[in-house]
Structure formats: C-alpha cells, structure tokens
C-alpha cells in the first residue's frame, strides 16, 4: 500500500483515525504537525505566535516535499491546512474525514482534554472565524480528496475499517 493521507478540519480526529488505521494495516502513523514540531523543536502554537502563520505554511510545504521524497507505506494525518500543499497527490491517496462544524466542535468539548485541545489550535480561538474557515474549506477539501468519509457517530476503528474497504 502506498501512503494514505488523512485530511479534514481541525478536531475531526485525523490523528486518532490514523493510529487506528495504522493498527489495522500494520503500518506506521505519522502526523505532519508532529513532524513540524520536531523540526522546529517548539509547539505549533508557539510557531504561530513567534513567527506567524505564513512561516508555518512554509514549514508545511517543506514537510510535504520531505514526505514525498522519503516516506512510503505510512498513514499520514495532516494539519487542517495541509491540503493546500501542491504535491499532496504525489504523496499518497487522499481521504477526507468529513463532519459538520457542530459535530466537530461538540467532539472537542466532550473530550477529557478539551481545554488543551482548544488552546493548542490558534485558528480555533475565535468561533466566528473558525466557522467561516470551515465553510470556506469544505469544498476545497472535497476538491482535493480521492475519497470522502462521513465520520459522524462512528468510532475511529469503524472509520479505519471503512477506509480499508475503500482502498481494497
Ligand atoms: C491548522 C490546523 C492544525 C495545525 C495548525 C493550523 C489549520 O492542525 O496544523 O494549527 O490551518 O487548520 P489540526 O487540524 O490537527 O488541528
């Protein structure tokens, strides 16, 4: 299997589903935000505060190039804005995890670590702006995705199995 790339809005559960899918398919799960944090030795939130969003987007592009060149047979979860990198299709098969804004927001709030989950995401701080960003991005995500999975009401394991079925 070539790489599988999970895209979608912040908080939709890309990392959790990536790990469930990795377990199901005996592959490694990696996350673009984790790669960026390790490259920079600081948190995403600090990169935004100290160097701004354009600098972070450049790091996403750099990471995408690195993935294309160096990674295969992995499950790659991405930051919510990673779908924009030009070489995404060359990295692997792109799966969109889709859900309504309300569902995603409720999922975050219901999480035991809700406060931390909100705090670490600079673009979720202002609800009006976050909603507008969601609205703007959904058609763009759909435009780039090879497959779309509606995740509402499904466990990460169920979503992983659905992805495997789609890929087989
Ligand atoms: C972002 C999503 C975040 C992170 C950064 C920007 C975005 O990742 O990459 O805060 O532009 O949607 P998650 O989707 O994992 O929250």
């Amino acid at each position: 299997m070539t790489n599988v790339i999970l895209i979608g809005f912040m908080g939709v559960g890309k990392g959790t589903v990536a790990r469930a899918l990795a377990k199901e398919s005996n592959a490694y799960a990696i996350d673009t935000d984790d790669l960026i944090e390790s490259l920079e030795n600081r948190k995403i939130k600090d990169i935004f505060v100290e160097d701004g969003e354009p600098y972070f987007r450049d790091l996403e592009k750099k990471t995408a190039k690195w993935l294309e060149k160096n990674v295969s047979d992995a499950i790659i979860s991405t930051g919510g804005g990673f779908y924009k990198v030009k070489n995404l299709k060359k990295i692997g098969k792109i799966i969109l995890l889709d859900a309504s804004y309300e569902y995603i927001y409720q999922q975050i709030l219901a999480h035991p670590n809700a406060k931390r989950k909100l705090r670490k995401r600079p673009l979720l701080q202002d609800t009006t702006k976050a909603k507008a960003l969601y609205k703007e991005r959904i058609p763009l995500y759909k435009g780039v995705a090879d497959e779309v999975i509606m995740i509402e009401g499904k466990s990460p394991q169920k979503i992983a199995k659905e992805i495997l079925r789609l890929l087989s």
Side-chain angles (χ1 to χ4, degrees):
M1 184 169 72
T2 177
N3 295 310
V4 175
I5 309 166
L6 302 182
I7 64 166
F9 202 66
M10 290 171 271
V12 78
K14 290 159 288 183
T16 311
V17 170
R19 286 187 293 277
L21 185 56
K23 177 78 179 150
E24 288 287 332
S25 53
N26 191 30
Y28 287 98
I30 53 181
D31 180 85
T32 59
D33 280 346
D34 289 348
L35 290 171
I36 289 171
E37 288 190 345
S38 70
L39 181 70
E40 288 279 306
N41 191 22
R42 54 184 171 153
K43 297 286 179 199
I44 300 294
K45 138 168 127 9
D46 297 328
I47 298 175
F48 268 73
V49 171
E50 291 161 13
D51 287 300
E53 186 174 342
Y55 179 82
F56 173 74
R57 299 300 172 198
D58 283 345
L59 290 172
E60 289 192 312
K61 288 178 198 149
K62 179 174 175 171
T63 305
K65 283 184 196 143
W66 181 82
L67 286 167
E68 184 187 342
K69 198 162 163 231
N70 297 292
V71 176
S72 60
D73 303 318
I75 315 297
I76 304 171
S77 53
T78 61
F82 197 83
Y83 73 98
K84 267 194 186 154
V85 300
K86 285 206 180 78
N87 62 332
L88 195 66
K89 292 244 179 237
K90 291 190 186 151
I91 303 172
K93 186 107 174 156
I94 306 163
I95 315 273
L96 168 63
L97 304 187
D98 193 21
S100 69
Y101 180 83
E102 287 67 29
Y103 184 83
I104 294 172
Y105 207 71
Q106 285 315 314
Q107 287 280 100
I108 295 176
L109 292 186
H111 199 277
N113 269 333
K115 272 206 180 119
R116 199 182 68 84
K117 290 204 162 273
L118 279 174
R119 221 183 305 124
K120 75 172 197 177
R121 295 183 161 101
L123 302 179
L124 273 189
Q125 302 310 306
D126 178 324
T127 313
T128 313
K129 281 190 189 155
K131 243 186 210 167
L133 188 63
Y134 172 89
K135 238 180 142 180
E136 175 192 318
R137 277 190 181 165
I138 286 296
L140 303 174
Y141 288 144
K142 288 188 175 157
V144 82
D146 295 309
E147 305 283 354
V148 180
I149 297 205
M150 175 46 75
I151 58 113
E152 291 189 18
K154 297 173 188 167
S155 69
Q157 288 70 25
K158 187 166 182 326
I159 300 165
K161 289 202 170 98
E162 220 173 284
I163 294 174
L164 278 181
R165 261 202 311 278
L166 277 177
L167 296 176
S168 65

